[in-house]
Amino acid sequence: MLLTKALDDTPRRIVSLNPSITELLFIIGAGNRVVGTDVWSYRPREAMRTIKIGSFTSADIEAIKKLNPDLVILSYPVQRQLVEPMSSIASVLAVPMPVNLNAVMSSFEMIGKLLDLDEETHRIMGIYMDLLRYSIDLRDTLVVLSLGDYVIPCESSYIVSALDKVGIKYVKGLKCIELITNRDDVLNIVNRTNPQLVIYEGKTKVYRPQETNWISKPMLYTPNDTLAHFGPSFPLDIQLLINAIKNGEKTVRGTSSIVRPSLYDPWYRIFLT
């Protein structure tokens, strides 16, 4: 992780353009310090009340200046173009896209230290990892994320790390994340890896058969922004995915990206009790 300059004091005014970290901030009790977020920071629902100052890849620099933050949190490398302009406003913490669960925990731990909330953050980290427990035995699974282009996670990704931990073994031979612009190239990887199951994260909340009818392998559909999010909701959504597989369902229902839970909803009870 990159912190562009030392903090003078514990941050009290935070702008977060990283939805996964935004959710963590609210869960560890720092939501009242969050003064601005991107439009994808809707977990928990309370984050939607913050001032929205950009999308995941762009930001309104002048609006952020008016918020007078002492810390701006970004996602790296997708937001690398924002590091320099943001550094002229406040200290910037650039959080790398996690390559495994250990990297997720490292990013959470760093946030806890910077905000002087170490104890609470470590408690949340323990619950997060406990939720990702071995509970199914499934071999040769492939994940396809539809994010405008298609993204296929590789062995060095937090998604594959989490699936492996719960007993969903990933296909072999994908060493790097694949960014693909057309269906034919996706099919080439599907044919080459020959998965027993393709977990497909779509563009919308609702399953649309036309999104996946070109893949002949057994499919499980997850709504958009489910596996693409590594905040505290991630292990809860993984549990829903496991239940869908065990029940022979074709769609994962009730994920955090659909219900957009409030801190006061049962969804977060395991973290907040």
Side-chain angles (χ1 to χ4, degrees), residues 42-43 205 223-226 237 254-261:
Y42 55 78
R43 280 174 282 215
K205 295 180 182 180
N224 68 319
D225 200 27
T226 300
D237 285 327
T255 65
S256 59
S257 63
I258 295 177
V259 300
R260 303 191 174 194

Side-chain angles (χ1 to χ4, degrees), residues 78 143-153 177-183 185-186 200-203 211 214 224 228:
V78 68
V143 174
V144 178
L145 307 177
S146 180
L147 302 173
D149 293 327
Y150 299 101
V151 175
I152 298 182
I177 292 176
E178 301 276 357
L179 177 62
I180 301 166
T181 58
N182 62 80
R183 292 180 177 183
D185 287 341
V186 174
Y200 183 96
E201 184 149 309
K203 296 179 180 179
E211 269 201 69
W214 46 277
N224 68 319

Side-chain angles (χ1 to χ4, degrees), residues 123-169:
R123 187 183 71 82
I124 298 302
M125 290 164 58
I127 296 170
Y128 187 107
M129 293 301 289
D130 285 345
L131 287 169
L132 292 170
R133 56 185 174 271
Y134 186 90
S135 56
I136 193 171
D137 188 8
L138 184 66
R139 303 286 169 178
D140 297 328
T141 300
L142 179 70
V143 174
V144 178
L145 307 177
S146 180
L147 302 173
D149 293 327
Y150 299 101
V151 175
I152 298 182
C154 66
E155 296 171 13
S156 297
S157 72
Y158 71 89
I159 294 174
V160 174
S161 181
L163 293 178
D164 183 73
K165 187 169 175 57
V166 300
I168 301 174
K169 303 302 180 184

Side-chain angles (χ1 to χ4, degrees), residues 2-214:
L2 168 67
L3 185 65
T4 57
K5 54 185 175 182
L7 292 162
D8 295 330
D9 204 350
T10 304
R12 296 294 172 185
R13 296 183 63 81
I14 302 170
V15 166
S16 175
L17 299 178
N18 185 316
S20 296
I21 299 301
T22 300
E23 184 181 33
L24 175 70
L25 292 172
F26 278 84
I27 296 300
I28 64 176
N32 60 345
R33 306 189 203 181
V34 181
V35 296
T37 61
D38 66 292
V39 296
W40 289 98
S41 288
Y42 55 78
R43 280 174 282 215
R45 195 180 307 150
E46 286 73 9
M48 297 175 69
R49 300 173 188 163
T50 60
I51 295 174
K52 297 301 177 182
I53 41 72
S55 69
F56 189 55
T57 55
S58 64
D60 186 334
I61 304 298
E62 293 305 314
I64 293 173
K65 285 181 180 178
K66 292 178 182 178
L67 293 175
N68 193 30
D70 44 28
L71 179 65
V72 177
I73 301 174
L74 302 177
S75 179
Y76 195 87
V78 68
Q79 296 171 341
R80 60 185 178 274
Q81 78 281 2
L82 297 176
V83 173
E84 185 174 344
M86 293 295 181
S87 295
S88 66
I89 302 173
S91 296
V92 173
L93 179 66
V95 179
M97 183 59 65
V99 295
N100 53 39
L101 287 174
N102 289 336
V104 172
M105 293 299 99
S106 293
S107 66
F108 287 3
E109 185 173 35
M110 180 69 164
I111 295 294
K113 287 181 178 179
L114 288 178
L115 302 187
D116 198 22
L117 291 169
D118 306 59
E119 185 174 341
E120 181 63 9
T121 302
H122 276 95
R123 187 183 71 82
I124 298 302
M125 290 164 58
I127 296 170
Y128 187 107
M129 293 301 289
D130 285 345
L131 287 169
L132 292 170
R133 56 185 174 271
Y134 186 90
S135 56
I136 193 171
D137 188 8
L138 184 66
R139 303 286 169 178
D140 297 328
T141 300
L142 179 70
V143 174
V144 178
L145 307 177
S146 180
L147 302 173
D149 293 327
Y150 299 101
V151 175
I152 298 182
C154 66
E155 296 171 13
S156 297
S157 72
Y158 71 89
I159 294 174
V160 174
S161 181
L163 293 178
D164 183 73
K165 187 169 175 57
V166 300
I168 301 174
K169 303 302 180 184
Y170 211 61
V171 294
K172 301 297 183 182
L174 292 177
K175 302 298 183 184
C176 298
I177 292 176
E178 301 276 357
L179 177 62
I180 301 166
T181 58
N182 62 80
R183 292 180 177 183
D184 287 342
D185 287 341
V186 174
L187 287 175
N188 287 338
I189 293 177
V190 170
N191 292 333
R192 172 163 59 87
T193 57
N194 192 28
Q196 291 187 21
L197 177 68
V198 175
I199 300 172
Y200 183 96
E201 184 149 309
K203 296 179 180 179
T204 63
K205 295 180 182 180
V206 180
Y207 173 56
R208 301 185 302 177
Q210 64 269 29
E211 269 201 69
T212 60
N213 58 15
W214 46 277

